[in-house]
Amino acid sequence: MDVTRDSSPRPRSWPSAAEPPADPVGATQLSKAVAQAVNNPLIRPAAPAEEPLDRSAPTQQLPTVEAAALPAVGADEPSAFPPGPRTTSEPADPGGPRPFGAGRSDRAGSTAHPTVADAATHRRPPRADQSLRERPAFALPGWLPLLALLLGTAGVLLVLARAGVLPHLSGLPDVRTAAVKADGVQVDDRTIGAVSAIGLAMLLAIGGLLSNPGGETRVLTRWGRYRGTVRRTGLLWVNPLVRRRRVDVRLRHWRSEPVQVTDRTGTPLLVRVLIVWRVKDTARVTLGIADHETYLREQVQAVLTRTSSVLPCDSNSAPGPALRDGQWFADELTRALAAETAPAGIEVYSVQPLTLDYAPEVAESMRRRRLADLDAGLRTVLVDDAVEAAALAVRRLERATAHELDDSARSALMEQLLVAFVAPAGVTASVPAPAARPGRKEGKPA
């Protein structure tokens, strides 16, 4: 006998598997749909191996439910953030029904509530011109134009001596031509052209000289077009037809003026910061913006206003992060300001808050509030310590005398000890005797 097979009789009340059960009386459309879904499940068990599969009838695809017919998740709730940008788009497919579940992830992503990170992506730093980057300019060592000046001077003297313009000095070789010796001074077109060419070369050599000290660069432009940056120091020679702009690339620090901002609770604050920065890309600093120092000053004020509005200034009443955490505040300011100034060619090393004070109109009230919070916290600690000390003293007294006090005596002793612990020095406080409880025996020792 096969015990693994259920041989119990099938109840007659159960409907057979071949024919579907009849609809109950008074069935609604919902109950009919549920019964039909139970009888015709979407996932059917696989056919046995010995039975061949019927491939004659193709499987029909389920109809796609339109997104407009489904209620959007959280559509009835107001959102404080703007909706995020749609990264993928579904192309329309009018040719036929789509498979079930296709595009569900896109609809889920578009209807989900945006987070703080999604809202932050809407506000991005400005993009820099990728074609405007610093590159080295063509420059020659300074000794080459000096040598050209010496050679040009010697050439001019030689040409003038051969033409007889300069008198012949005894002791020097005679370089005059035979015609000059016979007829005297002869200045022709060749002499004038040679002197003019040598003089023009000397002017170019002098006009291209550049003295570049350490910590400074020269940005070269010609007719408005960027031609390169000279970072080499010393005496150099560049094209005399270019315009030279001096840019300081040394490490600098700037102490800002008090900037008035508001924290998360709307309390006005005065913040002063110390910024350590330098110019990294001279091309963007010179040609990308009008004035990089003014740009840095305005970005500092904007970053301070945005960062200080994230947390409250103090967290006395509710423990938690606050702007008084100098390390967090400095790191956030440095990260935000570096991201804002990088497209302009400015590199920010650190932003350190120097002062963080309340505005004068609320400074006195916030000071009183802070003192009140500190006083309340100190009183709570003192009272808790006094209660623990009094309870410990009562227990040790009972242990030392081997006598257990009743509730009234224990309460009276606790009150006296608390008054002794908490009362200021030199103040004697009278504690009323505890009222006799009903049912207490008069002769019972305390």
Side-chain angles (χ1 to χ4, degrees), residues 158-169 173-182 184-185:
L158 179 61
V159 170
L160 294 179
R162 287 177 61 86
V165 177
L166 296 179
H168 174 65
L169 299 178
D174 191 3
V175 294
R176 294 178 297 175
T177 62
V180 172
K181 292 179 181 179
V185 179

Side-chain angles (χ1 to χ4, degrees), residues 158-300:
L158 179 61
V159 170
L160 294 179
R162 287 177 61 86
V165 177
L166 296 179
H168 174 65
L169 299 178
S170 60
L172 294 178
D174 191 3
V175 294
R176 294 178 297 175
T177 62
V180 172
K181 292 179 181 179
D183 301 335
V185 179
Q186 291 184 358
V187 179
D188 53 0
D189 295 339
R190 294 181 58 184
T191 304
I192 297 175
V195 172
S196 301
I198 295 175
L200 181 61
M202 295 177 64
L203 289 178
L204 291 178
I206 295 176
L209 286 177
L210 171 65
S211 177
N212 195 22
E216 295 182 0
T217 61
R218 294 296 189 275
V219 178
L220 307 182
T221 58
R222 184 173 60 187
W223 299 310
R225 185 177 180 182
Y226 175 64
R227 308 304 298 178
T229 301
V230 179
R231 284 185 175 267
R232 295 169 55 183
T233 59
L235 184 62
L236 304 170
W237 183 87
V238 296
N239 189 349
L241 301 180
V242 297
R243 181 184 177 184
R244 313 165 192 178
R245 300 183 183 181
R246 172 182 171 274
V247 179
D248 191 353
V249 294
R250 293 174 294 183
L251 193 65
R252 290 186 282 178
H253 67 277
W254 175 59
R255 187 189 300 265
S256 69
E257 299 295 330
V259 181
Q260 186 169 0
V261 297
T262 56
D263 63 354
R264 186 175 182 179
T265 60
T267 306
L269 307 173
L270 290 179
V271 185
R272 295 182 64 183
V273 294
L274 178 67
I275 306 164
V276 181
W277 63 283
R278 72 178 181 92
V279 174
K280 183 179 181 180
D281 195 321
T282 56
R284 294 181 178 179
V285 163
T286 307
L287 306 176
I289 53 179
D291 187 1
H292 63 279
E293 294 184 357
T294 304
Y295 179 82
L296 177 63
R297 190 180 302 110
E298 298 297 333
Q299 289 299 328
V300 167

Side-chain angles (χ1 to χ4, degrees), residues 28-385:
T28 61
Q29 295 293 336
L30 179 60
S31 61
K32 291 180 181 180
V34 172
Q36 186 178 0
V38 172
N39 295 329
N40 300 323
L42 295 178
I43 302 176
R44 299 181 181 275
E50 61 273 11
E51 297 181 3
L53 296 177
D54 187 9
R55 302 181 182 272
S56 58
T59 304
Q60 296 182 357
Q61 296 180 351
L62 294 177
T64 305
V65 181
E66 297 296 335
L70 297 176
V73 179
D76 54 344
E77 300 176 3
S79 176
F81 301 96
R86 187 184 299 269
T87 57
T88 59
S89 60
E90 290 188 25
D93 188 9
R98 300 179 56 188
F100 183 74
R104 181 178 298 178
S105 59
D106 298 341
R107 290 194 299 269
S110 61
T111 57
H113 285 290
T115 59
V116 178
D118 297 335
T121 57
H122 289 275
R123 199 257 169 231
R124 297 179 180 178
R127 293 185 178 181
D129 186 5
Q130 299 300 326
S131 62
L132 186 61
R133 290 180 177 274
E134 179 181 333
R135 62 177 183 270
F138 176 76
L140 295 177
W143 61 269
L144 290 178
L146 294 180
L147 180 61
L149 287 176
L150 293 178
L151 294 178
T153 303
V156 169
L157 294 178
L158 179 61
V159 170
L160 294 179
R162 287 177 61 86
V165 177
L166 296 179
H168 174 65
L169 299 178
S170 60
L172 294 178
D174 191 3
V175 294
R176 294 178 297 175
T177 62
V180 172
K181 292 179 181 179
D183 301 335
V185 179
Q186 291 184 358
V187 179
D188 53 0
D189 295 339
R190 294 181 58 184
T191 304
I192 297 175
V195 172
S196 301
I198 295 175
L200 181 61
M202 295 177 64
L203 289 178
L204 291 178
I206 295 176
L209 286 177
L210 171 65
S211 177
N212 195 22
E216 295 182 0
T217 61
R218 294 296 189 275
V219 178
L220 307 182
T221 58
R222 184 173 60 187
W223 299 310
R225 185 177 180 182
Y226 175 64
R227 308 304 298 178
T229 301
V230 179
R231 284 185 175 267
R232 295 169 55 183
T233 59
L235 184 62
L236 304 170
W237 183 87
V238 296
N239 189 349
L241 301 180
V242 297
R243 181 184 177 184
R244 313 165 192 178
R245 300 183 183 181
R246 172 182 171 274
V247 179
D248 191 353
V249 294
R250 293 174 294 183
L251 193 65
R252 290 186 282 178
H253 67 277
W254 175 59
R255 187 189 300 265
S256 69
E257 299 295 330
V259 181
Q260 186 169 0
V261 297
T262 56
D263 63 354
R264 186 175 182 179
T265 60
T267 306
L269 307 173
L270 290 179
V271 185
R272 295 182 64 183
V273 294
L274 178 67
I275 306 164
V276 181
W277 63 283
R278 72 178 181 92
V279 174
K280 183 179 181 180
D281 195 321
T282 56
R284 294 181 178 179
V285 163
T286 307
L287 306 176
I289 53 179
D291 187 1
H292 63 279
E293 294 184 357
T294 304
Y295 179 82
L296 177 63
R297 190 180 302 110
E298 298 297 333
Q299 289 299 328
V300 167
Q301 186 171 2
V303 168
L304 274 175
T305 304
R306 186 169 65 253
T307 306
S308 60
S309 62
V310 176
L311 294 176
C313 182
D314 294 303
S315 58
N316 297 327
S317 57
L323 297 179
R324 295 291 182 183
D325 185 3
Q327 186 65 33
W328 177 88
F329 197 29
D331 293 343
E332 286 296 316
L333 289 176
T334 304
R335 180 191 58 81
L337 187 59
E340 294 290 340
T341 57
I346 301 175
E347 184 177 8
V348 176
Y349 286 94
S350 65
V351 181
Q352 301 294 332
L354 298 179
T355 58
L356 180 60
D357 300 325
Y358 290 101
E361 58 268 18
V362 297
E364 185 63 24
S365 60
M366 296 306 296
R367 187 185 67 84
R368 291 196 300 265
R369 178 182 176 182
R370 187 186 307 174
L371 292 178
D373 292 340
L374 293 176
D375 192 10
L378 182 60
R379 288 183 180 180
T380 303
V381 172
L382 289 178
V383 170
D384 293 343
D385 293 344

